[in-house]
Amino acid sequence: MAAADTTFRGDPSTRSGPAPVWVVVVKWAAIALVVAFGTLVSWRLVQDGKALFVVIVAFVVMAVVAVYSTRRAVPLKYLLPGMLLLVAFQVWPIAYTAATAFTNYGDGHLLSKEDATASIIANSVQEVPGSARYRLSIAVPQGQDPSKGDLTFLLTDPSGKYFEGTPKGLEDLPTDGVEATTTGKITKAPGFTILDAKQVNKRGKELGEFAVPKDNGGIKAIGLSEAFEGRATVTYDKAADKLTDTATGKTYVPKGASWVPADGQGEAYPQGWKQNVGWDNFKSLVTNSTIRDGFVKIFVWNVAFALISVLSTFMLGMLLALLFNDDRLRGKGFFRSILILPYAIPGFVTALLWMSMFNQDYGLINNITGLDVDWLGNAWAAKAAILITNLWLGFPYMFLVCTGALQSIPGDVREAARIDGAGPVRTVRSIIMPLLLVAVGPLLIASFAFNFNNFTLIFLMTKGGPFTEGDTSIGSTDLLITYAFRIAFSGVNPDYGLASAISIFIFIIVGLMSYAGFRRTKSLEEVN
């Protein structure tokens, strides 16, 4: 008699025995760590008044607990990390960029209206005789770059009490771990990096505009070690929604997300605020002649650069792959290794190397050829230099993929073509190329998308230049991505909103071109 089948066929999650104790301990310790970290992050977000993000963090923590605290939902245990990373690094940046495109977010428009108004009032503070003075240390939150981090005043009042001053106001500073000199100047505080004199001097302009707001006044620095508490000369009438400078008698009203003189005479305050501007950024790309003409000029070169780069690298890589696919050639492994060396070297290193080689005065290109071409200073020469450099960077990749595709083509296909009387050129054109494009077609589309946004090469070699005399906003070798970067970070008045609108255009353009390309590659599959 056959033995009875005793295999349990119930719930898959109950088939195996209990997990080892150490596995259970580690699992619950990890879950507890996630909960603790989520609680800490939520607490910080509550302090900053970001209720929406508190809800998001709470949802993520609950999802982690729900998925990993049970032996069920096995697929989700693998999918959840990927889904969270997808949202964090793909979906959220796209959504945030799209939202920013509909605002005036940029230099001078970084704060809310309330914060901008408080900053104006705090910066108008003048010392009042007999007012309190503080011992001052200037710091940034720990982990932030001293040259760019958020300035913070670490203050000691005459009674020896410690305070933390930011543009949001004055708060008590816990004494635990704080170290100070005999005069009360704080030299160490947990959670902060105190700047030295050299670092403070580099941020002198910001420090001159920095003030800690208080009721009817604020606290400003005197030198590097002392601060005073004074009274503001600018007052805000909330009912009338206007500012009044008591020192000059001028009145300011809100206009264009800035406080401007009511009489139209004089300059607006530099502190503006962020607000929704609707489709204005997109309209500027169409209606503003300077931006429109520059956008069209850059777009034409952008498409040409991507197409020429893909075609040139593919043709060179394919021809080399065909050459080294010949069985009669000896030492193919060695030569293939040599040809992929440009692909093995980091791209930014190669870009800087070629930039020096194209130098007009001492570059290797002019020295060897005897030419005197201003490769990086002439518009057309700079474009040629970039295309040559990109050919050097890109052909090894195409050589690799074409080599793999050629080796997958059965030898009897070429043999049948030879028997039918097809010559080498006809065989490549009618047999090899269609089969090759089936494999590399999608990669060519991906290469086009990459080169369309090839920020690194352009930025390292020319930074988008050369520029027309008197106009540093649009360069001869600019791509849309470098143009957006300059608008957002390198211009006289950085405009993140307009740069985000350009980024959306780039996203749509690349998406439409890729969609058309993938539709086209479907016809190549018929060769199989």
Side-chain angles (χ1 to χ4, degrees), residues 113 188 193 250 253 464:
K113 184 179 180 180
K188 182 179 179 181
T193 301
K250 290 183 72 68
V253 295

Side-chain angles (χ1 to χ4, degrees), residues 143-402:
Q144 293 190 10
D145 186 348
S147 65
K148 299 177 182 178
D150 300 326
L151 288 176
T152 304
F153 282 178
L154 301 182
L155 303 162
T156 307
D157 71 4
S159 67
K161 189 175 181 181
Y162 300 138
F163 296 93
E164 169 191 344
T166 67
K168 294 183 178 180
L170 195 66
E171 297 180 3
D172 292 340
L173 180 66
T175 58
D176 294 342
V178 175
E179 298 179 8
T181 64
T182 55
T183 61
K185 181 179 174 66
I186 297 174
T187 57
K188 182 179 179 181
F192 294 96
T193 301
I194 296 177
L195 307 185
D196 57 33
K198 185 176 180 180
Q199 292 170 328
V200 172
N201 287 332
K202 287 183 177 179
R203 305 189 65 176
K205 182 179 179 181
E206 295 175 70
L207 187 60
E209 300 174 351
F210 185 90
V212 180
K214 290 192 69 177
D215 294 339
N216 299 320
I219 300 173
K220 296 194 71 172
I222 304 176
L224 304 181
S225 302
E226 199 169 17
F228 68 84
E229 182 177 332
R231 187 172 298 278
T233 60
V234 175
T235 61
Y236 175 55
D237 185 344
K238 187 174 182 179
D241 196 22
K242 66 179 182 180
L243 294 177
T244 302
D245 189 339
T246 57
T248 62
K250 290 183 72 68
T251 301
Y252 295 81
V253 295
K255 183 180 180 181
S258 297
W259 288 106
V260 300
D263 58 5
Q265 304 296 320
E267 296 182 354
Y269 281 112
Q271 298 96 329
W273 55 89
K274 179 183 175 181
Q275 70 176 18
N276 192 300
V277 295
W279 296 90
D280 288 357
N281 290 320
F282 296 92
K283 291 178 181 177
S284 295
L285 295 175
V286 178
T287 60
N288 186 305
S289 59
T290 302
I291 297 177
R292 182 185 65 241
D293 294 345
F295 186 90
V296 172
K297 173 185 174 183
I298 293 172
F299 174 72
V300 172
W301 156 243
N302 204 152
V303 174
F305 167 75
L307 283 175
I308 295 173
S309 294
V310 171
L311 292 176
S312 61
T313 55
F314 172 67
M315 291 302 296
L316 180 58
M318 183 193 67
L319 291 174
L320 290 172
L322 287 170
L323 174 64
F324 287 97
N325 198 49
D326 194 324
D327 295 332
R328 296 170 296 178
L329 186 65
R330 297 181 180 275
K332 291 185 291 184
F334 172 76
F335 290 115
R336 283 171 175 164
S337 301
I338 296 297
L339 287 173
I340 65 173
L341 281 179
Y343 192 54
I345 300 174
F348 72 92
V349 174
T350 304
L352 294 175
L353 177 63
W354 277 88
M355 182 183 68
S356 65
M357 291 171 60
F358 279 117
N359 185 277
Q360 182 180 10
D361 299 321
Y362 55 82
L364 184 65
I365 304 296
N366 280 351
N367 288 340
I368 290 180
T369 61
L371 301 174
D372 187 29
V373 178
D374 186 6
W375 289 101
L376 303 179
N378 177 273
W380 290 103
K383 292 176 180 178
I386 286 173
L387 289 171
I388 293 171
T389 304
N390 209 31
L391 175 61
W392 173 262
L393 284 167
F395 87 85
Y397 171 73
M398 294 298 180
F399 170 67
L400 284 174
V401 297
C402 288

Side-chain angles (χ1 to χ4, degrees), residues 3 64 73 112 135 184-185 248 259 271 300 369 407 413 451 480 497 509 513:
V64 170
S112 65
R135 296 297 294 171
K185 181 179 174 66
T248 62
W259 288 106
Q271 298 96 329
V300 172
T369 61
Q407 290 179 348
V413 173
N451 282 292
L480 292 177
I509 291 168
M513 290 184 173

Side-chain angles (χ1 to χ4, degrees), residues 431-444:
I431 305 298
I432 302 299
M433 279 295 292
L435 293 172
L436 186 64
L437 288 175
V438 172
V440 304
L443 297 177
L444 295 179

